[in-house]
Amino acid sequence: MTVTLADVAARAQVSPATVSRVLNGNYPVAASTRERVLRAVDELDYVLNGPASALAAATSDLVGILVNDIADPFFGIMASAIQAEIGGPGGRAGGERLAVTCNTGGSPERELTYLTLLQRQRAAAVILTGGAVEDAPHAAAVAAKLRKLADAGTRVVLCGRPPAPDTDAVALTFDNRGGGKQLTEHLIGLGHRRLGYIAGPEERTTTRHRLEGHRAALAEAGIEEDPRWTVHGRYDRRAGYEATLELLRRDPSLTAVVAANDSVALGACAALRESGLRIPADVSVAGFDDLPFSIDVVPSLTTVRLPLAEAGARAGRIAMGREEPPPGGIATVRGELMVRGSSGVPRG
């Protein structure tokens, strides 16, 4: 037999209107009354009619989190931190939000599809993580979707993603240029002058910004970049392995390899070892992000630490209206250089 709102009201000894107020969270209710209602909800296993509530209210209890690859710790850490911040008090059904993680696989088409589906579900909030695709028509289509979501009452937050012009989306953007510059400056300071760079996919903003930082450091040091020193690939270990072998084939005299992220750096380390080269005695290696495994590899990885969990948590609080957006709706999240065993003075 289906449990009704009236059944919950009878169990909690309150009116159905009071139950509705507690579950929708749209009217102040005494703490003791709220607790009684939520206890009755749990005891009766009452399920709120989500679609009907969404139609009655401006939004539903659903929060969409868009990621490129949930198997990548970069996205998993942010998604976990976001979800930890969107729950209601006490973990009860009356204040909880349903987090839906949408894995785009880096596909622009899937990204637009998920935004459309979340719009249809009247999502309370949508959080897009990671870099954006650098394609003008796609950027315009995404901006149009974000405006429609905002117009319907959905809060939109970009976490680790550049701002979306002409939208109300709040952006917590990572300083990838600054981090990339700082990392290469560290290697130049050790004496490296022949640095290979493994970049990510050419169409991603993260790729371009990190590579721009690297090139800015080379230019300021008066180092002329050789076109052979840059290889593009995916943001994964295999790509790092294959790209490093290609770099060594192009220029065996390289003394350092800068990787697009830590997963790519792991592949680079494997390729160097299999090629009979020592790290960092023969070739230094640096990554980006400071993922959990970076400190445990041997040698531990020099990298740029991005506060992924902190940024995700902040995005979650802003999306839930529990933290004010930054001034102007945009905040820059800076990284921190972590100097470890994988970088050293180049061979003589």
Side-chain angles (χ1 to χ4, degrees), residues 158 161 163 170-174 314 318 325-334:
L158 312 177
R161 188 175 176 119
V170 174
L172 306 179
T173 182
F174 293 148
R314 186 181 181 189
I318 292 172
I330 300 172
T332 300
V333 179
R334 305 194 186 280

Side-chain angles (χ1 to χ4, degrees), residues 204-278:
R204 309 298 302 191
T205 55
T206 300
T207 297
R208 178 169 63 84
H209 295 162
R210 292 181 182 183
L211 184 54
E212 285 176 349
H214 167 74
R215 286 173 169 164
L218 293 179
E220 288 185 12
I223 299 173
E224 184 176 354
E225 184 184 11
D226 189 320
R228 297 177 301 164
W229 295 351
T230 300
V231 177
H232 286 270
R234 301 174 308 279
Y235 281 118
D236 59 33
R237 182 187 182 279
R238 181 175 178 178
Y241 177 88
E242 294 172 348
T244 300
L245 294 179
E246 175 63 17
L247 286 171
L248 292 175
R249 185 192 66 78
R250 294 180 182 183
D251 187 354
S253 68
L254 292 173
T255 63
V257 173
V258 183
N261 68 8
D262 294 341
S263 296
V264 172
L266 285 188
C269 289
L272 291 169
R273 285 193 297 267
E274 290 185 19
S275 300
L277 297 169
R278 299 165 297 168

